[in-house]
Amino acid sequence: MDIAVLGTGRVGSAVGVRWAQQGHRIFYGAKDPHSPETQDLVERSGPNASVSGVREAAAACQVILLAIPWAVTREVLDSLGPLEGKILIDCINPLTPDLKGLEMGFTTSAAEQIAEWAPAAVVVKAFNTVGDAAMADPLFSGQSATMFYCGDDEPSKAIVRQLTEDLGLQPVDAGPLVNARQLEPLAALYVYLAIFGGWGGDCAFKIIQR
Amino acid sequence: MDIAVLGTGRVGSAVGVRWAQQGHRIFYGAKDPHSPETQDLVERSGPNASVSGVREAAAACQVILLAIPWAVTREVLDSLGPLEGKILIDCINPLTPDLKGLEMGFTTSAAEQIAEWAPAAVVVKAFNTVGDAAMADPLFSGQSATMFYCGDDEPSKAIVRQLTEDLGLQPVDAGPLVNARQLEPLAALYVYLAIFGGWGGDCAFKIIQR
């Protein structure tokens, strides 16, 4: 699959490298495609990866992963070309600058806001409740971390589900896009535990059953 | 420990029976203490349990578990006597009647609302993100379910932590009471998965580590 990975930070690089290694073609979209960090990322990703500006990367793909900071999300979306029918996978958490809470919630969510800003696209919330360590290596003492996703379009969700399995994470359908109002607070809980609660980033949520 | 368990529904009865079996004295507070269901619960709980109205149960104990529906919470709190210094363990989720979301969030939470309604008491949010099946039997394929709690008073949190361990659940400190804004949406996610997502009630969240 051709996937535009917009954002080459910890999330974008963690999933980009692994998807590229598995044969997906990764089109990184970077603010500065020529920076040494970005070039290093492309090299680590192997022959299936390339990098350009965000507009070019998004234009090349049907599936676009948004792994950019919340603060620049609208600006980046507005800078992209037509998004008709494209799948926007939203990994973004609208964290407050002190990382102790969210900038929105309950009556809306970043995912719903993105869907409003990009009405021609289909938004699936995903990859926001696990840290980049879990994306790079999904196994914790032999158990795969759970990755919740939600959205309103089943075919798009099936693609996200497959991309999640490709990373070795356990995909769990968390319902319609409005349930991003639950998944974003879950990310805030993860951030609290990792940064302030003494857990560190190398932990993850898992659904357990009998 | 003497614990008032207000509410004899699924949550109150699940924790009440087990705590009583472990030697805690359980004072159930019921709307109708003489109903056959309540009498049966007391019998199942053994010699450490008794039942009365909610006011009498709360008056007898320093630790009070609120396992009542959100809709009657204020009314019940107002019906209790003085709560100076008592610990209110809030298991309540302010679910909408269709169980698909919450009645409040982001700028507040049920826990914070309860703290406002009962300013003389100390509120700890707990036992709201696991189902009653996990409270009755915390082991899932050999792993104990995680039980998040949050609050602003460390000694009270230590008591809740111990009561959680007494149930065999893994207690995880989720920070200050304001983080109920994350724990209540997590409960809504659980309810979604259990009722609408095909998981059933017999699953639980777990934090996994390397």
Side-chain angles (χ1 to χ4, degrees), chain A residues 102-106 133 137 139-141 143 172-175 179 182 185-186 188 192-193 199 202-210, chain B residues 102-106 133 137 139-141 143 172-175 179 182 185-186 188-189 192-193 199 202-210:
Chain A
L102 297 170
E103 293 202 343
M104 55 173 49
F106 180 54
D137 177 2
L139 287 181
F140 293 75
S141 307
Q143 296 183 100
V172 170
D173 185 345
N179 283 5
Q182 273 85 55
L186 182 57
Y192 176 83
L193 296 172
W199 286 80
D202 217 359
C203 64
F205 299 114
K206 170 84 182 167
I207 295 194
I208 53 177
Q209 286 182 292
R210 303 287 180 197
Chain B
L102 297 170
E103 292 201 342
M104 54 174 48
F106 181 53
D137 177 2
L139 287 182
F140 293 76
S141 307
Q143 296 184 100
V172 170
D173 185 346
N179 283 4
Q182 273 84 58
L186 181 58
L189 176 61
Y192 176 82
L193 295 172
W199 286 79
D202 216 359
C203 62
F205 300 114
K206 170 84 181 167
I207 294 194
I208 53 176
Q209 287 182 292
R210 304 286 180 195

Short mmCIF file of all heavy atoms in Angstrom, two decimals, chain A residues 102-106 133 137 139-141 143 172-175 179 182 185-186 188 192-193 199 202-210, chain B residues 102-106 133 137 139-141 143 172-175 179 182 185-186 188-189 192-193 199 202-210:
data_model
loop_
_atom_site.label_atom_id
_atom_site.label_comp_id
_atom_site.label_asym_id
_atom_site.label_seq_id
_atom_site.Cartn_x
_atom_site.Cartn_y
_atom_site.Cartn_z
N LEU A 102 -6.13 17.69 27.96
CA LEU A 102 -6.46 17.88 26.55
C LEU A 102 -6.98 19.30 26.32
O LEU A 102 -7.52 19.92 27.22
CB LEU A 102 -7.53 16.87 26.13
CG LEU A 102 -7.13 15.40 26.21
CD1 LEU A 102 -8.37 14.51 26.00
CD2 LEU A 102 -6.06 15.06 25.17
N GLU A 103 -6.82 19.76 25.10
CA GLU A 103 -7.33 21.10 24.77
C GLU A 103 -8.81 21.06 24.39
O GLU A 103 -9.44 22.10 24.25
CB GLU A 103 -6.52 21.69 23.62
CG GLU A 103 -5.08 21.98 24.05
CD GLU A 103 -4.40 23.02 23.18
OE1 GLU A 103 -4.89 23.28 22.07
OE2 GLU A 103 -3.38 23.56 23.63
N MET A 104 -9.34 19.88 24.19
CA MET A 104 -10.75 19.75 23.85
C MET A 104 -11.24 18.38 24.26
O MET A 104 -10.44 17.48 24.51
CB MET A 104 -10.95 19.94 22.35
CG MET A 104 -10.10 18.99 21.52
SD MET A 104 -10.50 19.11 19.76
CE MET A 104 -10.46 20.85 19.54
N GLY A 105 -12.54 18.24 24.29
CA GLY A 105 -13.09 16.94 24.64
C GLY A 105 -14.56 17.03 24.96
O GLY A 105 -15.14 18.13 24.92
N PHE A 106 -15.16 15.89 25.23
CA PHE A 106 -16.56 15.72 25.64
C PHE A 106 -17.55 16.10 24.53
O PHE A 106 -18.31 15.26 24.09
CB PHE A 106 -16.86 16.50 26.92
CG PHE A 106 -18.29 16.36 27.38
CD1 PHE A 106 -18.83 15.10 27.57
CD2 PHE A 106 -19.09 17.46 27.57
CE1 PHE A 106 -20.15 14.94 27.96
CE2 PHE A 106 -20.41 17.31 27.97
CZ PHE A 106 -20.94 16.05 28.17
N ALA A 133 7.19 3.66 21.39
CA ALA A 133 7.94 2.43 21.70
C ALA A 133 7.11 1.20 21.36
O ALA A 133 7.64 0.20 20.86
CB ALA A 133 8.34 2.42 23.18
N ASP A 137 7.94 -1.66 18.64
CA ASP A 137 8.04 -3.05 19.13
C ASP A 137 6.79 -3.34 19.95
O ASP A 137 6.71 -2.96 21.12
CB ASP A 137 9.30 -3.21 19.98
CG ASP A 137 9.40 -4.62 20.56
OD1 ASP A 137 8.53 -5.47 20.28
OD2 ASP A 137 10.36 -4.87 21.32
N LEU A 139 5.44 -5.97 21.24
CA LEU A 139 5.35 -7.09 22.19
C LEU A 139 5.86 -6.70 23.57
O LEU A 139 6.97 -6.18 23.72
CB LEU A 139 6.13 -8.29 21.68
CG LEU A 139 5.48 -9.05 20.50
CD1 LEU A 139 6.34 -10.24 20.11
CD2 LEU A 139 4.06 -9.50 20.84
N PHE A 140 5.02 -6.98 24.57
CA PHE A 140 5.38 -6.74 25.96
C PHE A 140 5.28 -8.07 26.68
O PHE A 140 4.17 -8.56 26.90
CB PHE A 140 4.43 -5.71 26.57
CG PHE A 140 4.55 -4.33 25.98
CD1 PHE A 140 4.03 -4.06 24.73
CD2 PHE A 140 5.21 -3.32 26.66
CE1 PHE A 140 4.16 -2.78 24.17
CE2 PHE A 140 5.34 -2.06 26.11
CZ PHE A 140 4.81 -1.79 24.87
N SER A 141 6.41 -8.64 27.01
CA SER A 141 6.44 -9.97 27.63
C SER A 141 5.56 -10.95 26.85
O SER A 141 4.76 -11.68 27.44
CB SER A 141 5.99 -9.90 29.09
OG SER A 141 6.73 -8.93 29.79
N GLN A 143 3.09 -10.37 24.89
CA GLN A 143 1.72 -9.95 24.55
C GLN A 143 1.76 -8.69 23.68
O GLN A 143 2.50 -7.75 23.99
CB GLN A 143 0.96 -9.58 25.81
CG GLN A 143 0.72 -10.71 26.77
CD GLN A 143 -0.12 -10.22 27.94
OE1 GLN A 143 -1.32 -10.43 28.00
NE2 GLN A 143 0.53 -9.53 28.86
N VAL A 172 -8.35 -3.05 17.94
CA VAL A 172 -9.66 -3.17 18.57
C VAL A 172 -10.54 -2.03 18.08
O VAL A 172 -10.22 -0.85 18.25
CB VAL A 172 -9.55 -3.14 20.11
CG1 VAL A 172 -10.94 -3.02 20.75
CG2 VAL A 172 -8.86 -4.40 20.63
N ASP A 173 -11.63 -2.42 17.44
CA ASP A 173 -12.59 -1.46 16.90
C ASP A 173 -13.34 -0.80 18.04
O ASP A 173 -14.09 -1.44 18.76
CB ASP A 173 -13.56 -2.21 15.97
CG ASP A 173 -14.52 -1.27 15.26
OD1 ASP A 173 -14.64 -0.09 15.66
OD2 ASP A 173 -15.16 -1.73 14.29
N ALA A 174 -13.12 0.50 18.19
CA ALA A 174 -13.75 1.23 19.30
C ALA A 174 -14.97 2.01 18.84
O ALA A 174 -15.42 2.91 19.55
CB ALA A 174 -12.73 2.16 19.96
N GLY A 175 -15.52 1.64 17.68
CA GLY A 175 -16.80 2.23 17.28
C GLY A 175 -16.69 3.43 16.37
O GLY A 175 -15.73 3.58 15.61
N ASN A 179 -16.40 8.32 19.15
CA ASN A 179 -15.71 7.70 20.29
C ASN A 179 -14.26 8.15 20.42
O ASN A 179 -13.59 7.77 21.40
CB ASN A 179 -15.81 6.17 20.19
CG ASN A 179 -17.18 5.67 20.60
OD1 ASN A 179 -18.09 6.46 20.87
ND2 ASN A 179 -17.36 4.36 20.64
N GLN A 182 -13.45 9.31 23.66
CA GLN A 182 -12.92 8.41 24.67
C GLN A 182 -11.45 8.06 24.41
O GLN A 182 -10.68 7.90 25.35
CB GLN A 182 -13.74 7.11 24.73
CG GLN A 182 -14.96 7.21 25.64
CD GLN A 182 -16.16 7.80 24.97
OE1 GLN A 182 -16.60 7.32 23.95
NE2 GLN A 182 -16.72 8.86 25.54
N PRO A 185 -8.90 11.03 25.58
CA PRO A 185 -8.61 10.98 27.03
C PRO A 185 -7.77 9.76 27.43
O PRO A 185 -6.97 9.84 28.36
CB PRO A 185 -10.00 10.92 27.68
CG PRO A 185 -10.89 11.60 26.70
CD PRO A 185 -10.34 11.22 25.34
N LEU A 186 -7.95 8.65 26.73
CA LEU A 186 -7.13 7.47 27.04
C LEU A 186 -5.66 7.78 26.75
O LEU A 186 -4.77 7.37 27.50
CB LEU A 186 -7.61 6.26 26.22
CG LEU A 186 -6.87 4.94 26.46
CD1 LEU A 186 -6.92 4.53 27.92
CD2 LEU A 186 -7.43 3.83 25.58
N ALA A 188 -4.39 10.76 26.93
CA ALA A 188 -3.97 11.66 28.01
C ALA A 188 -3.63 10.86 29.26
O ALA A 188 -2.69 11.19 29.99
CB ALA A 188 -5.07 12.69 28.30
N TYR A 192 -0.05 10.82 31.02
CA TYR A 192 0.10 11.06 32.47
C TYR A 192 0.95 9.96 33.11
O TYR A 192 1.92 10.23 33.83
CB TYR A 192 -1.26 11.16 33.18
CG TYR A 192 -1.02 11.30 34.67
CD1 TYR A 192 -0.75 12.55 35.22
CD2 TYR A 192 -0.93 10.19 35.50
CE1 TYR A 192 -0.42 12.68 36.56
CE2 TYR A 192 -0.60 10.32 36.84
CZ TYR A 192 -0.35 11.56 37.36
OH TYR A 192 0.00 11.68 38.68
N LEU A 193 0.57 8.72 32.86
CA LEU A 193 1.28 7.60 33.48
C LEU A 193 2.74 7.58 33.06
O LEU A 193 3.64 7.40 33.89
CB LEU A 193 0.60 6.28 33.11
CG LEU A 193 -0.83 6.09 33.63
CD1 LEU A 193 -1.44 4.83 33.03
CD2 LEU A 193 -0.86 6.03 35.15
N TRP A 199 5.74 5.50 35.08
CA TRP A 199 5.72 4.29 34.26
C TRP A 199 6.71 4.34 33.11
O TRP A 199 7.12 3.31 32.60
CB TRP A 199 4.30 4.03 33.72
CG TRP A 199 3.38 3.52 34.78
CD1 TRP A 199 2.74 4.26 35.73
CD2 TRP A 199 3.01 2.16 35.02
NE1 TRP A 199 2.00 3.45 36.55
CE2 TRP A 199 2.14 2.14 36.13
CE3 TRP A 199 3.33 0.95 34.41
CZ2 TRP A 199 1.60 0.97 36.64
CZ3 TRP A 199 2.78 -0.22 34.91
CH2 TRP A 199 1.93 -0.20 36.01
N ASP A 202 7.53 3.04 28.08
CA ASP A 202 7.57 1.67 27.60
C ASP A 202 6.53 0.79 28.28
O ASP A 202 6.83 -0.24 28.87
CB ASP A 202 8.97 1.09 27.79
CG ASP A 202 9.35 0.17 26.64
OD1 ASP A 202 8.52 0.00 25.73
OD2 ASP A 202 10.46 -0.36 26.67
N CYS A 203 5.30 1.25 28.20
CA CYS A 203 4.18 0.46 28.70
C CYS A 203 3.02 0.68 27.73
O CYS A 203 3.09 1.55 26.85
CB CYS A 203 3.78 0.88 30.11
SG CYS A 203 3.18 2.58 30.24
N ALA A 204 1.99 -0.11 27.85
CA ALA A 204 0.88 0.01 26.90
C ALA A 204 -0.39 -0.57 27.51
O ALA A 204 -0.34 -1.35 28.46
CB ALA A 204 1.20 -0.73 25.60
N PHE A 205 -1.51 -0.17 26.95
CA PHE A 205 -2.79 -0.74 27.36
C PHE A 205 -3.05 -2.03 26.58
O PHE A 205 -2.68 -2.16 25.41
CB PHE A 205 -3.94 0.23 27.09
CG PHE A 205 -3.80 1.54 27.83
CD1 PHE A 205 -3.61 2.73 27.15
CD2 PHE A 205 -3.87 1.57 29.22
CE1 PHE A 205 -3.48 3.93 27.83
CE2 PHE A 205 -3.74 2.77 29.92
CZ PHE A 205 -3.55 3.96 29.21
N LYS A 206 -3.73 -2.93 27.26
CA LYS A 206 -4.07 -4.21 26.64
C LYS A 206 -5.46 -4.61 27.13
O LYS A 206 -5.77 -4.42 28.31
CB LYS A 206 -3.04 -5.26 27.10
CG LYS A 206 -3.37 -6.69 26.75
CD LYS A 206 -2.92 -7.01 25.37
CE LYS A 206 -3.26 -8.42 24.92
NZ LYS A 206 -3.07 -8.55 23.47
N ILE A 207 -6.28 -5.13 26.24
CA ILE A 207 -7.54 -5.74 26.70
C ILE A 207 -7.26 -7.20 27.01
O ILE A 207 -6.72 -7.92 26.17
CB ILE A 207 -8.64 -5.65 25.64
CG1 ILE A 207 -9.03 -4.20 25.40
CG2 ILE A 207 -9.87 -6.42 26.10
CD1 ILE A 207 -10.33 -4.05 24.64
N ILE A 208 -7.62 -7.59 28.22
CA ILE A 208 -7.43 -9.00 28.56
C ILE A 208 -8.81 -9.67 28.69
O ILE A 208 -9.81 -9.03 28.99
CB ILE A 208 -6.61 -9.18 29.86
CG1 ILE A 208 -7.20 -8.35 31.02
CG2 ILE A 208 -5.16 -8.77 29.62
CD1 ILE A 208 -6.45 -8.56 32.34
N GLN A 209 -8.81 -10.96 28.41
CA GLN A 209 -10.05 -11.75 28.46
C GLN A 209 -9.78 -13.03 29.22
O GLN A 209 -8.64 -13.39 29.46
CB GLN A 209 -10.48 -12.10 27.02
CG GLN A 209 -11.06 -10.92 26.27
CD GLN A 209 -11.52 -11.33 24.89
OE1 GLN A 209 -10.70 -11.67 24.03
NE2 GLN A 209 -12.82 -11.30 24.65
N ARG A 210 -10.83 -13.73 29.58
CA ARG A 210 -10.66 -15.00 30.28
C ARG A 210 -9.98 -16.01 29.36
O ARG A 210 -10.27 -16.08 28.20
CB ARG A 210 -12.00 -15.58 30.72
CG ARG A 210 -12.82 -14.67 31.58
CD ARG A 210 -12.30 -14.52 32.99
NE ARG A 210 -13.19 -13.59 33.71
CZ ARG A 210 -12.87 -12.99 34.85
NH1 ARG A 210 -11.69 -13.17 35.39
NH2 ARG A 210 -13.71 -12.18 35.42
N LEU B 102 -20.99 9.97 27.87
CA LEU B 102 -21.04 10.51 29.22
C LEU B 102 -21.90 11.77 29.26
O LEU B 102 -22.05 12.46 28.26
CB LEU B 102 -19.62 10.86 29.69
CG LEU B 102 -18.65 9.68 29.80
CD1 LEU B 102 -17.22 10.18 30.02
CD2 LEU B 102 -19.06 8.73 30.91
N GLU B 103 -22.43 12.05 30.43
CA GLU B 103 -23.24 13.26 30.58
C GLU B 103 -22.38 14.48 30.87
O GLU B 103 -22.88 15.61 30.85
CB GLU B 103 -24.27 13.06 31.69
CG GLU B 103 -25.30 12.03 31.31
CD GLU B 103 -26.59 12.16 32.11
OE1 GLU B 103 -26.56 12.81 33.16
OE2 GLU B 103 -27.59 11.59 31.66
N MET B 104 -21.13 14.27 31.18
CA MET B 104 -20.23 15.39 31.46
C MET B 104 -18.82 14.94 31.17
O MET B 104 -18.54 13.74 31.04
CB MET B 104 -20.34 15.81 32.91
CG MET B 104 -20.14 14.67 33.89
SD MET B 104 -20.10 15.22 35.60
CE MET B 104 -21.54 16.25 35.64
N GLY B 105 -17.94 15.92 31.08
CA GLY B 105 -16.55 15.60 30.85
C GLY B 105 -15.77 16.81 30.43
O GLY B 105 -16.32 17.91 30.31
N PHE B 106 -14.48 16.61 30.23
CA PHE B 106 -13.52 17.60 29.77
C PHE B 106 -13.29 18.75 30.76
O PHE B 106 -12.20 18.91 31.26
CB PHE B 106 -13.90 18.16 28.40
CG PHE B 106 -12.93 19.17 27.89
CD1 PHE B 106 -11.57 18.86 27.82
CD2 PHE B 106 -13.33 20.44 27.51
CE1 PHE B 106 -10.64 19.81 27.36
CE2 PHE B 106 -12.41 21.39 27.06
CZ PHE B 106 -11.06 21.06 26.99
N ALA B 133 -17.67 -8.14 36.70
CA ALA B 133 -17.08 -9.48 36.57
C ALA B 133 -15.62 -9.47 36.99
O ALA B 133 -15.14 -10.41 37.62
CB ALA B 133 -17.22 -9.98 35.13
N ASP B 137 -13.93 -11.50 40.04
CA ASP B 137 -12.83 -12.42 39.73
C ASP B 137 -11.83 -11.65 38.87
O ASP B 137 -12.02 -11.48 37.67
CB ASP B 137 -13.37 -13.64 38.97
CG ASP B 137 -12.25 -14.58 38.56
OD1 ASP B 137 -11.07 -14.32 38.89
OD2 ASP B 137 -12.55 -15.59 37.89
N LEU B 139 -8.82 -12.19 37.81
CA LEU B 139 -7.80 -12.85 36.99
C LEU B 139 -8.33 -13.21 35.61
O LEU B 139 -9.39 -13.83 35.46
CB LEU B 139 -7.29 -14.11 37.68
CG LEU B 139 -6.38 -13.89 38.89
CD1 LEU B 139 -5.91 -15.24 39.44
CD2 LEU B 139 -5.19 -13.01 38.54
N PHE B 140 -7.58 -12.81 34.61
CA PHE B 140 -7.91 -13.11 33.22
C PHE B 140 -6.71 -13.87 32.65
O PHE B 140 -5.65 -13.27 32.44
CB PHE B 140 -8.14 -11.81 32.44
CG PHE B 140 -9.37 -11.06 32.89
CD1 PHE B 140 -9.37 -10.33 34.07
CD2 PHE B 140 -10.54 -11.10 32.14
CE1 PHE B 140 -10.50 -9.64 34.49
CE2 PHE B 140 -11.67 -10.42 32.55
CZ PHE B 140 -11.65 -9.69 33.73
N SER B 141 -6.89 -15.16 32.44
CA SER B 141 -5.78 -16.00 31.99
C SER B 141 -4.53 -15.75 32.82
O SER B 141 -3.43 -15.55 32.29
CB SER B 141 -5.49 -15.74 30.51
OG SER B 141 -6.66 -15.88 29.73
N GLN B 143 -3.68 -13.19 34.57
CA GLN B 143 -3.26 -11.80 34.77
C GLN B 143 -4.35 -11.02 35.50
O GLN B 143 -5.52 -11.12 35.13
CB GLN B 143 -3.04 -11.11 33.43
CG GLN B 143 -1.94 -11.69 32.59
CD GLN B 143 -1.78 -10.85 31.34
OE1 GLN B 143 -0.90 -10.02 31.24
NE2 GLN B 143 -2.66 -11.05 30.39
N VAL B 172 -3.42 1.05 39.99
CA VAL B 172 -2.53 1.98 39.29
C VAL B 172 -2.97 3.40 39.61
O VAL B 172 -4.10 3.80 39.31
CB VAL B 172 -2.53 1.74 37.76
CG1 VAL B 172 -1.79 2.86 37.04
CG2 VAL B 172 -1.89 0.40 37.44
N ASP B 173 -2.06 4.14 40.21
CA ASP B 173 -2.32 5.53 40.59
C ASP B 173 -2.36 6.40 39.34
O ASP B 173 -1.36 6.57 38.66
CB ASP B 173 -1.20 6.00 41.54
CG ASP B 173 -1.45 7.40 42.08
OD1 ASP B 173 -2.32 8.12 41.53
OD2 ASP B 173 -0.77 7.79 43.04
N ALA B 174 -3.52 6.93 39.04
CA ALA B 174 -3.70 7.75 37.84
C ALA B 174 -3.64 9.24 38.15
O ALA B 174 -4.06 10.05 37.32
CB ALA B 174 -5.01 7.38 37.14
N GLY B 175 -3.10 9.60 39.31
CA GLY B 175 -2.86 11.01 39.56
C GLY B 175 -3.95 11.72 40.34
O GLY B 175 -4.67 11.10 41.13
N ASN B 179 -7.93 13.97 37.04
CA ASN B 179 -7.76 12.93 36.03
C ASN B 179 -8.96 11.98 35.93
O ASN B 179 -8.99 11.12 35.04
CB ASN B 179 -6.48 12.15 36.29
CG ASN B 179 -5.24 12.93 35.86
OD1 ASN B 179 -5.35 14.08 35.44
ND2 ASN B 179 -4.08 12.33 35.97
N GLN B 182 -10.18 11.63 32.63
CA GLN B 182 -9.70 10.57 31.74
C GLN B 182 -10.29 9.22 32.14
O GLN B 182 -10.56 8.38 31.28
CB GLN B 182 -8.18 10.49 31.79
CG GLN B 182 -7.48 11.43 30.80
CD GLN B 182 -7.31 12.83 31.35
OE1 GLN B 182 -6.71 13.00 32.38
NE2 GLN B 182 -7.84 13.82 30.65
N PRO B 185 -14.11 8.71 30.79
CA PRO B 185 -14.16 8.28 29.39
C PRO B 185 -13.63 6.86 29.18
O PRO B 185 -14.10 6.15 28.30
CB PRO B 185 -13.27 9.32 28.67
CG PRO B 185 -13.37 10.54 29.52
CD PRO B 185 -13.42 10.01 30.94
N LEU B 186 -12.66 6.44 29.99
CA LEU B 186 -12.17 5.07 29.86
C LEU B 186 -13.28 4.08 30.20
O LEU B 186 -13.42 3.04 29.55
CB LEU B 186 -10.95 4.86 30.76
CG LEU B 186 -10.29 3.48 30.71
CD1 LEU B 186 -9.84 3.13 29.30
CD2 LEU B 186 -9.10 3.41 31.68
N ALA B 188 -16.42 4.73 29.75
CA ALA B 188 -17.34 4.78 28.60
C ALA B 188 -16.81 3.91 27.46
O ALA B 188 -17.60 3.24 26.77
CB ALA B 188 -17.51 6.23 28.13
N LEU B 189 -15.50 3.87 27.30
CA LEU B 189 -14.91 2.99 26.28
C LEU B 189 -15.18 1.53 26.64
O LEU B 189 -15.57 0.73 25.78
CB LEU B 189 -13.41 3.25 26.17
CG LEU B 189 -12.63 2.33 25.22
CD1 LEU B 189 -13.14 2.44 23.78
CD2 LEU B 189 -11.13 2.64 25.28
N TYR B 192 -18.74 0.76 25.94
CA TYR B 192 -18.95 0.62 24.49
C TYR B 192 -18.51 -0.77 24.02
O TYR B 192 -19.25 -1.48 23.34
CB TYR B 192 -18.20 1.70 23.69
CG TYR B 192 -18.38 1.44 22.22
CD1 TYR B 192 -19.53 1.86 21.54
CD2 TYR B 192 -17.46 0.65 21.52
CE1 TYR B 192 -19.75 1.52 20.22
CE2 TYR B 192 -17.67 0.31 20.20
CZ TYR B 192 -18.82 0.75 19.54
OH TYR B 192 -19.04 0.40 18.24
N LEU B 193 -17.30 -1.13 24.39
CA LEU B 193 -16.76 -2.42 23.93
C LEU B 193 -17.61 -3.58 24.44
O LEU B 193 -17.92 -4.51 23.68
CB LEU B 193 -15.31 -2.58 24.40
CG LEU B 193 -14.31 -1.58 23.82
CD1 LEU B 193 -12.96 -1.73 24.52
CD2 LEU B 193 -14.16 -1.76 22.32
N TRP B 199 -17.53 -7.42 22.84
CA TRP B 199 -16.58 -8.01 23.78
C TRP B 199 -17.28 -8.66 24.98
O TRP B 199 -16.70 -9.53 25.63
CB TRP B 199 -15.59 -6.95 24.28
CG TRP B 199 -14.58 -6.60 23.24
CD1 TRP B 199 -14.76 -5.75 22.18
CD2 TRP B 199 -13.24 -7.11 23.12
NE1 TRP B 199 -13.61 -5.70 21.41
CE2 TRP B 199 -12.67 -6.52 21.97
CE3 TRP B 199 -12.48 -7.99 23.87
CZ2 TRP B 199 -11.36 -6.81 21.56
CZ3 TRP B 199 -11.18 -8.27 23.46
CH2 TRP B 199 -10.64 -7.68 22.31
N ASP B 202 -16.98 -9.51 30.16
CA ASP B 202 -15.90 -10.27 30.80
C ASP B 202 -14.54 -10.00 30.15
O ASP B 202 -13.85 -10.90 29.70
CB ASP B 202 -16.23 -11.76 30.75
CG ASP B 202 -15.76 -12.46 32.02
OD1 ASP B 202 -15.18 -11.78 32.89
OD2 ASP B 202 -15.96 -13.68 32.12
N CYS B 203 -14.21 -8.72 30.11
CA CYS B 203 -12.89 -8.32 29.65
C CYS B 203 -12.46 -7.14 30.51
O CYS B 203 -13.25 -6.61 31.28
CB CYS B 203 -12.92 -7.91 28.17
SG CYS B 203 -13.96 -6.49 27.82
N ALA B 204 -11.22 -6.78 30.43
CA ALA B 204 -10.72 -5.70 31.29
C ALA B 204 -9.48 -5.07 30.67
O ALA B 204 -8.83 -5.67 29.81
CB ALA B 204 -10.39 -6.24 32.68
N PHE B 205 -9.19 -3.86 31.12
CA PHE B 205 -7.96 -3.19 30.70
C PHE B 205 -6.81 -3.63 31.61
O PHE B 205 -7.00 -3.89 32.80
CB PHE B 205 -8.11 -1.67 30.78
CG PHE B 205 -9.20 -1.12 29.91
CD1 PHE B 205 -10.32 -0.52 30.47
CD2 PHE B 205 -9.12 -1.20 28.53
CE1 PHE B 205 -11.34 -0.01 29.67
CE2 PHE B 205 -10.13 -0.69 27.72
CZ PHE B 205 -11.24 -0.09 28.29
N LYS B 206 -5.64 -3.67 31.00
CA LYS B 206 -4.43 -4.05 31.73
C LYS B 206 -3.29 -3.20 31.21
O LYS B 206 -3.20 -2.97 30.01
CB LYS B 206 -4.16 -5.54 31.45
CG LYS B 206 -2.83 -6.06 31.93
CD LYS B 206 -2.90 -6.45 33.38
CE LYS B 206 -1.57 -6.95 33.93
NZ LYS B 206 -1.63 -7.01 35.41
N ILE B 207 -2.45 -2.72 32.10
CA ILE B 207 -1.21 -2.10 31.63
C ILE B 207 -0.16 -3.18 31.51
O ILE B 207 0.06 -3.95 32.45
CB ILE B 207 -0.70 -1.03 32.60
CG1 ILE B 207 -1.66 0.14 32.65
CG2 ILE B 207 0.66 -0.51 32.16
CD1 ILE B 207 -1.08 1.36 33.31
N ILE B 208 0.45 -3.26 30.34
CA ILE B 208 1.51 -4.25 30.15
C ILE B 208 2.85 -3.53 30.02
O ILE B 208 2.93 -2.39 29.60
CB ILE B 208 1.24 -5.17 28.93
CG1 ILE B 208 0.97 -4.35 27.66
CG2 ILE B 208 0.05 -6.07 29.21
CD1 ILE B 208 0.79 -5.22 26.41
N GLN B 209 3.89 -4.23 30.45
CA GLN B 209 5.25 -3.68 30.40
C GLN B 209 6.18 -4.72 29.80
O GLN B 209 5.82 -5.88 29.68
CB GLN B 209 5.72 -3.36 31.83
CG GLN B 209 5.04 -2.14 32.43
CD GLN B 209 5.57 -1.83 33.82
OE1 GLN B 209 5.34 -2.60 34.75
NE2 GLN B 209 6.26 -0.73 33.97
N ARG B 210 7.38 -4.30 29.47
CA ARG B 210 8.35 -5.25 28.90
C ARG B 210 8.74 -6.27 29.95
O ARG B 210 8.88 -5.95 31.12
CB ARG B 210 9.61 -4.51 28.47
CG ARG B 210 9.37 -3.41 27.48
CD ARG B 210 9.05 -3.92 26.09
NE ARG B 210 8.85 -2.74 25.21
CZ ARG B 210 8.29 -2.76 24.03
NH1 ARG B 210 7.81 -3.89 23.53
NH2 ARG B 210 8.15 -1.67 23.32
#
